[in-house]
Amino acid sequence: MIYADYNGSAPICADVKEYLVKRIQEGPYSNPNAIHHLGQKVLMGMENARFSCSKILGCKPGQILFNSGSTEGISHIFYSLLCGKLDDGKNIIVTSGIEHSAVVKTAQFYEEKGFEVKVCPTLPNGVINFEALELTLKENEGKVALVCIMAANNETGVIQPYAEMAEICKKYDAPIFSDTTQLIGKDEFSFDESGLDYAVLSGHKIGALTGTGMILAKDLTTLKPFIIGGGQEKDLRGGTQNYLGNETLAVALNYFKENKEKLEALKAKRVDFEKKLKEKFPSIVIMGEDAPRLASSTYISYPGIHGQAVQIELESEDIYVTTSSACSDNEPVTSKVLKAMGVNDEVGRGVVRISLGLCSPVEWYDQVFDALSRAYEKLGKIQSY
Ligand SMILES: Cc1ncc(COP(=O)(O)O)c(C=O)c1O
């Protein structure tokens, strides 16, 4: 089997599996907030995990808030920065057209509450239009409550110049949150060097347990309590912490730290894979081809051949990819991310996403290449009848 849907969810990393088996067998278990010895031991384990994560992510332990993942983190950041801001005359949210639905729908929610959402345009290569961003910030100086533009896209893998975005936002005194869900664990990242005010991480995207994650905040005290409860996580997120899950975040990030050199090999193989495909099928289109992209993502289309048909062909060979194009009434539609990049429907309906991770053998690209070639040849013939 070849699992090529890491951007959807990564398999649990081998180090995390090994850690969990031992940890579950040996304990200790307790409420980390209990003052007895076992509670304190569990708390120490979780705080050690926070410390390890902070070292790898380039921040201080006091800048990490453990939670259930990025959707929660996004909602929490929006809530903290927007609640009460209409009264202060800060009524503008700046975002982009390529955001994940967790951001899009949260922004819509606040739009219904009276905020104005300004969507920064995207260039055809998937990078946001920087001049347009700066102009929006300039024209609305003093009124922007939050800028929310992602760091790496889940469909295309295109990486935004998030550090430069942070600099511009600083110039206009606008708080910036970048959805780093797809970037962390797949590319170098230092929260401190990024200049961002807020970032998020999702455990299941990096090989840790599902239902784990964190917010990184320059200043955690700018967050408001989101889940009211027993004072956990500095009173910002009530509820007994998922300490086992939080420990797996440190193990998965440590795996990334120790295996970073694999990124280069993965990227070189991905470049070679795309080159060979283009040579064999000159009409194929690679989304964001000329933009900086994650080492492990290819989003490809053979115009006129439906992505879902290709996905089914690959699945019959035990290769799991995704199309990302929503389907209504059996009529595939171009995703909003691709629409924001100006991709037409013929190309948009054909997309297939191949996303791998640090633990995937690079030879998988050769097998995906062969299977994809067979699928395109077969479906191309059917189509020409
Ligand atoms: C870019 C991006 N943001 C947010 C999310 C939501 O993350 P979670 O599943 O941790 O809630 C995802 C998951 O697909 C994502 O890819």
Side-chain angles (χ1 to χ4, degrees):
M1 180 186 80
I2 292 182
Y3 181 78
D5 186 21
Y6 274 65
N7 289 8
S9 197
I12 294 179
C13 154
D15 284 16
V16 170
K17 268 188 219 162
E18 200 182 311
Y19 176 83
L20 269 179
V21 169
K22 195 162 179 285
R23 177 72 179 79
I24 287 169
Q25 268 166 359
E26 293 179 3
Y29 307 106
S30 176
N31 189 318
N33 309 290
I35 52 168
H36 52 63
H37 176 63
L38 274 185
Q40 291 303 294
K41 242 180 130 174
V42 167
L43 179 67
M44 200 182 291
M46 190 176 74
E47 291 310 316
N48 282 342
R50 198 188 310 264
F51 181 77
S52 303
C53 292
S54 74
K55 285 263 163 241
I56 299 165
L57 295 170
C59 66
K60 297 193 180 69
Q63 293 178 309
I64 290 179
L65 174 90
F66 285 131
N67 64 14
S68 71
S70 291
T71 302
E72 181 187 327
I74 290 162
S75 283
H76 195 167
I77 293 165
F78 269 70
Y79 171 76
S80 301
L81 289 173
L82 301 181
C83 218
K85 287 294 160 66
L86 278 180
D87 305 335
D88 298 349
K90 288 197 185 273
N91 66 329
I92 290 178
I93 302 167
V94 180
T95 184
S96 80
I98 54 165
E99 301 300 311
H100 186 271
S101 52
V103 165
V104 176
K105 292 194 177 162
T106 308
Q108 270 166 9
F109 174 85
Y110 286 97
E111 196 171 25
E112 282 158 21
K113 298 260 173 276
F115 285 87
E116 191 182 333
V117 177
K118 295 207 178 277
V119 179
C120 183
T122 308
L123 301 172
N125 67 358
V127 177
I128 61 136
N129 184 328
F130 233 70
E131 284 90 55
L133 171 65
E134 177 143 28
L135 191 64
T136 306
L137 293 175
K138 200 170 172 183
E139 285 175 354
N140 297 285
E141 202 168 353
K143 290 193 284 179
V144 177
L146 173 63
V147 177
C148 173
I149 298 177
M150 68 181 359
N153 187 266
N154 41 302
E155 290 183 32
T156 60
V158 169
I159 300 173
Q160 301 296 328
Y162 53 88
E164 284 91 329
M165 278 173 357
E167 244 171 67
I168 297 189
C169 290
K170 209 168 166 195
K171 185 169 154 196
Y172 294 100
D173 203 20
I176 174 154
F177 156 47
S178 189
D179 178 356
T180 44
T181 308
Q182 293 291 345
L183 185 89
I184 296 178
K186 295 183 189 144
D187 200 36
E188 293 279 0
F189 176 72
S190 158
F191 183 63
D192 188 36
E193 284 169 21
S194 74
L196 296 168
D197 293 309
Y198 305 93
V200 286
L201 179 152
S202 175
H204 75 105
K205 306 288 186 192
I206 63 165
L209 282 185
T210 309
T212 62
M214 65 177 77
I215 289 180
L216 304 171
K218 216 179 241 174
D219 178 2
L220 268 192
T221 65
T222 56
L223 294 176
K224 294 190 169 135
F226 192 51
I227 300 175
I228 313 292
Q232 293 90 349
E233 293 295 292
K234 300 205 169 98
D235 224 358
L236 294 170
R237 182 182 190 263
T240 304
Q241 294 95 328
N242 176 3
Y243 60 89
L244 285 178
N246 296 342
E247 288 165 34
T248 68
L249 291 170
V251 180
L253 282 174
N254 196 53
Y255 178 85
F256 171 71
K257 189 188 94 183
E258 299 295 324
N259 290 279
K260 267 185 209 164
E261 77 287 347
K262 286 190 185 165
L263 277 178
E264 280 310 311
L266 200 60
K267 186 169 179 187
K269 194 73 184 175
R270 189 212 74 200
V271 169
D272 181 53
F273 163 75
E274 291 176 355
K275 188 167 163 269
K276 272 169 42 193
L277 270 175
K278 284 199 85 168
E279 275 164 13
K280 189 155 187 187
F281 305 101
S283 60
I284 64 159
V285 182
I286 294 165
M287 310 299 145
E289 188 174 7
D290 70 343
R293 272 183 292 143
L294 296 174
S296 50
S297 281
T298 298
Y299 202 31
I300 196 169
S301 170
Y302 192 128
I305 297 182
H306 278 187
Q308 278 153 355
V310 180
Q311 181 190 355
I312 292 164
E313 286 300 319
L314 294 184
E315 193 157 338
S316 73
E317 299 199 30
D318 221 11
I319 297 175
Y320 296 86
V321 298
T322 48
T323 68
S324 283
S325 57
C327 187
S328 63
D329 298 331
N330 276 337
E331 191 56 46
V333 290
T334 305
S335 76
K336 61 178 170 34
V337 170
L338 294 181
K339 281 199 169 137
M341 291 164 64
V343 170
N344 68 39
D345 280 345
E346 210 201 1
V347 174
R349 286 175 188 145
V351 289
V352 170
R353 181 182 71 185
I354 297 131
S355 58
L356 298 174
L358 276 193
C359 22
S360 327
V362 289
E363 298 74 40
W364 277 5
Y365 273 121
D366 298 326
Q367 285 165 262
V368 176
F369 174 82
D370 290 342
L372 208 47
S373 299
R374 281 190 288 275
Y376 282 152
E377 275 157 4
K378 177 176 165 187
L379 295 166
K381 258 187 221 148
I382 293 171
Q383 197 196 25
S384 60
Y385 282 134

